[in-house]
Amino acid sequence: MDARTNPYAPGAGTRPPALRGRDRQIDQFDLLLNRLADGRSERSLLIDGLRGVGKTVLLSTFKDMAVEKGWYAAKLEVRHDTELRQALARAALKLLRELSAIERMKERVRRASQVLKSFSLRTPEGIEIGVGIDTAGTAGSGDLEFDVAELMLELGQTAQEAGTGVALLFDEIQFLDRTELEALIHGLHEVAQANLPLAFAGCGLPSTPALAGQAKTYAERLFLFQGVGSLDRKDAQDALTIPAASLKVRIDQAAADQIIDLSDGYPYFLQEYGKHAWLVANDSEITAKDVRRAHPRVLSDLDDGFFSLRYQRATESERRYIRAIADLGDGPQTTADVGTALGHESLQQGSSTRADLIGKGLIFSPRRGQVDFTVPHFADYVRRMDAPG
Ligand SMILES: Nc1ncnc2c1ncn2[C@@H]1O[C@H](COP(=O)(O)OP(=O)(O)OP(=O)(O)O)[C@@H](O)[C@H]1O
Ligand SMILES: [Mg+2]
């Protein structure tokens, strides 16, 4: 069928044509906004899940929800080399600029900008991000925890005085280092105690809840942790059939079942199968035969993009470690078994490679002494790459 009208949307952070299976998270964020708007407290959201399950898409949805409510929202992606201070300064700058468009808020925003300026003077970018005000604010002590809290309080108070709220949406939280995560959680704690309308939602790999708990013990009371993963059969079916139906295309039950089986209900894979099944189908019906024809194309697209993107980032010794995990089978493996497979004489021998792979976000530790891939179906990909021919 026509590529031009193809509704499916595989990609990083690309909006799905039908967002399914995320009602709980969406309802919770809605509750958070409403309660904060009423001056009540509510736990922030911390969402964790494997690669490609739709974390970024959820954050974009939250952003829309906040904006729809007349709030100001900033979404930021943490990277390997991101500094929290810098990222937060940029987000605050954006929010304050938007708030300063409200005529009666100009003076108030000017004061908040002083705090931001002293905060951002401590970033490597220094003055560049500053907003041209001479007097120093209070968030430039150099103590990250203190400064982050000061800036967040200032943002929350400014929004409150404007009769609205601000939302901070952080993607890839697992890349924050320990001190940064501590500072962020502390800041949110201060904001929550002051009942300010600052909503926070963060997303990260499955290691995120543990990292948050290690950073601050009270993280458990501050956040509502929500794991997101593959969709159940009903939601997966809807995610596939609704977009087609809206274009008068039917996906027959056998075809839908096959896609759900092959994809395990993982959102990214559903979009890929939807896309390719659409492309190979002839008329207004997608059948099991189309899915069979689409399957190798899906694998080839995934191999060239979704999977290889991650694999390329590994060094040769990291790849050996990855292959050892994959050869042991699907699902979590013990580090002891991986070590044995690699001929290591002690557990210590593989620990720095393992730490590097965790740092790159390729593997995580679901339990003490275990490792697993952060990318669904990754073991299968690695075995496929290694297969002769
Ligand atoms: N609830 C959903 N239903 C159907 N498709 C979805 C859903 N959520 C996300 N998708 C699709 O899944 C793909 C991956 O989404 P997204 O990039 O948000 O995942 P992610 O968890 O952020 O991945 P990563 O960890 O790699 O950043 C996109 O193509 C998106 O359209
Ligand atoms: Mg993402």
Side-chain angles (χ1 to χ4, degrees):
M1 277 182 291
D2 194 353
R4 227 170 122 174
T5 52
N6 196 329
Y8 299 98
T14 34
R15 310 258 186 171
L19 180 77
R20 310 302 294 185
R22 303 294 182 240
D23 292 352
R24 273 179 73 183
Q25 292 75 27
I26 290 171
D27 288 348
Q28 182 61 32
F29 193 72
D30 189 53
L31 182 71
L32 173 65
L33 293 178
N34 287 326
R35 285 187 54 92
L36 292 184
D38 292 345
R40 295 181 212 278
S41 66
E42 184 57 48
R43 283 187 289 176
S44 298
L45 267 172
L46 211 51
I47 288 169
D48 71 281
L50 297 175
R51 295 272 171 221
V53 294
K55 300 181 296 296
T56 301
V57 158
L58 253 186
L59 281 188
S60 302
T61 307
F62 294 163
K63 186 174 177 194
D64 295 347
M65 288 166 67
V67 170
E68 189 124 315
K69 220 180 143 48
W71 283 36
Y72 296 82
K75 178 165 165 273
L76 48 109
E77 184 185 325
V78 181
R79 287 166 190 269
H80 221 53
D81 52 0
T82 305
E83 279 202 39
L84 176 67
R85 193 184 280 271
Q86 212 165 336
L88 206 54
R90 284 174 189 278
L93 183 64
K94 172 192 184 283
L95 294 171
L96 290 178
R97 278 211 177 117
E98 289 174 3
L99 279 160
S100 73
I102 307 172
E103 196 49 44
R104 68 183 164 82
M105 287 304 292
K106 289 218 179 324
E107 193 42 44
R108 180 64 187 87
V109 171
R110 208 183 298 279
R111 266 189 290 141
S113 301
Q114 293 179 14
V115 176
L116 171 59
K117 185 178 186 196
S118 62
F119 180 84
S120 49
L121 278 175
R122 295 274 178 174
T123 67
E125 289 177 326
I127 315 231
E128 188 219 308
I129 208 170
V131 277
I133 282 133
D134 300 328
T135 9
T138 52
S141 76
D143 177 302
L144 188 67
E145 194 158 306
F146 178 85
D147 291 353
V148 165
E150 286 293 297
L151 181 65
M152 284 186 154
L153 288 166
E154 192 67 24
L155 278 175
Q157 283 156 4
T158 310
Q160 189 175 48
E161 285 172 41
T164 173
V166 287
L168 284 177
L169 308 159
F170 271 61
D171 208 356
E172 307 273 353
I173 288 270
Q174 78 282 346
F175 285 138
L176 289 178
D177 67 31
R178 168 88 181 236
T179 335
E180 293 177 326
L181 195 55
E182 278 173 5
L184 178 66
I185 297 173
H186 171 75
L188 290 169
H189 190 44
E190 295 274 313
V191 165
Q193 282 171 340
N195 276 342
L196 291 170
L198 186 150
F200 173 87
C203 283
L205 291 175
S207 53
T208 308
L211 291 175
Q214 285 155 14
K216 291 282 181 202
T217 45
Y218 56 75
E220 283 162 31
R221 280 166 281 140
L222 193 63
F223 295 114
L224 185 74
F225 295 99
Q226 289 266 299
V228 292
S230 57
L231 305 184
D232 65 25
R233 289 197 86 88
K234 168 85 180 71
D235 286 326
Q237 166 111 12
D238 288 347
L240 280 170
T241 54
I242 292 172
S246 72
L247 295 166
K248 308 236 175 335
V249 171
R250 212 181 85 83
I251 301 187
D252 77 26
Q253 194 55 49
D257 282 339
Q258 249 191 58
I259 294 181
I260 296 168
D261 289 340
L262 289 165
S263 67
D264 271 339
Y266 278 106
Y268 197 105
F269 302 154
L270 286 172
Q271 298 301 328
E272 283 284 9
Y273 277 102
K275 174 185 158 185
H276 284 286
W278 177 281
L279 288 175
V280 299
N282 286 321
D283 36 53
S284 54
E285 178 154 41
I286 293 173
T287 64
K289 194 168 142 242
D290 297 322
V291 177
R292 277 195 296 280
R293 279 175 61 212
H295 179 61
R297 298 170 194 224
V298 170
L299 285 190
S300 143
D301 261 19
L302 287 173
D303 287 358
D304 293 345
F306 188 67
F307 292 126
S308 71
L309 210 89
R310 329 276 169 177
Y311 202 44
Q312 273 163 11
R313 300 197 357 236
T315 63
E316 196 37 57
S317 72
E318 288 165 1
R319 286 184 189 193
R320 274 198 297 278
Y321 199 91
I322 286 174
R323 277 183 221 122
I325 302 176
D327 286 341
L328 286 165
D330 295 332
Q333 304 298 338
T334 68
T335 50
D337 286 348
V338 178
T340 309
L342 287 167
H344 289 168
E345 275 153 24
S346 74
L347 264 183
Q348 250 59 49
Q349 220 181 319
S351 66
S352 80
T353 311
R354 186 166 61 247
D356 290 343
L357 283 169
I358 291 176
K360 286 184 180 174
L362 270 158
I363 62 172
F364 71 107
S365 176
R367 259 199 203 94
R368 211 181 147 75
Q370 287 189 344
V371 281
D372 201 356
F373 295 118
T374 57
V375 185
H377 293 188
F378 198 67
D380 195 40
Y381 161 74
V382 174
R383 291 189 297 261
R384 206 157 55 232
M385 287 301 102
D386 275 356

